[in-house]
Amino acid sequence: MDICFEQKYKPLKAFASSTYLKQVFINLIKNSCEAIDDVNPKRNIAIKTDIVADKIIIDISDSGNGIVKDRWESIFDPFISTKELGMGIGLPFVRKVIFEHRGEIFVLESSQNGTTFRVTLPQYEFSELSHT
């Protein structure tokens, strides 16, 4: 499994609980890993950040099996899971935390070639491009 983080900014600053945001991103990466079956020759997750106006944008893309479009919203409902052993509390927790931080999360795109979740959060102060 390859996980790639594209860093083009100095550390981005948001008024947020680092503990809760770590749990959000652990959950999203774990879900991405589980969405990629063992026989898939492309086993990658890409994390990209961007800034648009006063918003931090974080895209998490995987090469998994995808999510059917009519389920893009219901996956955030409690106790809904497509996993055999899933309890359906991970993505509802993620959405709740992101909303509490005045952000949003949604499926940006999904197909049989993978899924991209987009997280947006307000910046605490304007961030700068990385010079490294």
Side-chain angles (χ1 to χ4, degrees):
M1 177 87 55
D2 291 325
I3 299 178
C4 171
F5 173 60
E6 178 187 300
Q7 183 174 359
K8 62 181 179 179
Y9 297 95
K10 290 181 180 178
L12 302 173
K13 297 177 182 176
F15 190 71
S17 162
S18 62
T19 302
Y20 280 122
L21 285 186
K22 283 178 190 172
Q23 192 59 49
V24 161
F25 293 112
I26 287 169
N27 191 295
L28 290 172
I29 292 168
K30 178 179 175 283
N31 282 358
S32 289
C33 289
E34 292 172 355
I36 304 170
D37 55 34
D38 293 335
V39 296
N40 189 337
K42 283 181 55 182
R43 299 174 49 79
N44 22 358
I45 298 169
I47 303 166
K48 296 179 181 178
T49 59
D50 204 355
I51 297 174
V52 175
D54 63 341
K55 299 280 187 219
I56 298 170
I57 298 173
I58 304 135
D59 288 344
I60 301 173
S61 304
D62 65 54
S63 58
N65 297 324
I67 302 166
V68 179
K69 189 163 187 150
D70 64 358
R71 303 214 54 225
W72 287 12
E73 275 302 310
S74 67
I75 59 172
F76 294 103
D77 294 341
F79 310 113
I80 303 291
S81 179
T82 59
K83 301 176 204 167
E84 191 172 311
L85 300 174
M87 294 183 59
I89 57 175
L91 287 174
F93 166 81
V94 165
R95 181 170 262 183
K96 180 180 185 299
V97 169
I98 295 300
F99 279 180
E100 287 174 353
H101 287 83
R102 297 186 350 251
E104 61 180 321
I105 180 170
F106 53 91
V107 177
L108 182 64
E109 59 185 1
S110 189
S111 70
Q112 68 273 14
N113 298 320
T115 300
T116 299
F117 281 91
R118 174 162 286 176
V119 175
T120 64
L121 293 167
Q123 283 193 80
Y124 176 64
E125 58 186 49
F126 287 109
S127 304
E128 300 174 20
L129 280 171
S130 178
H131 297 292
T132 57

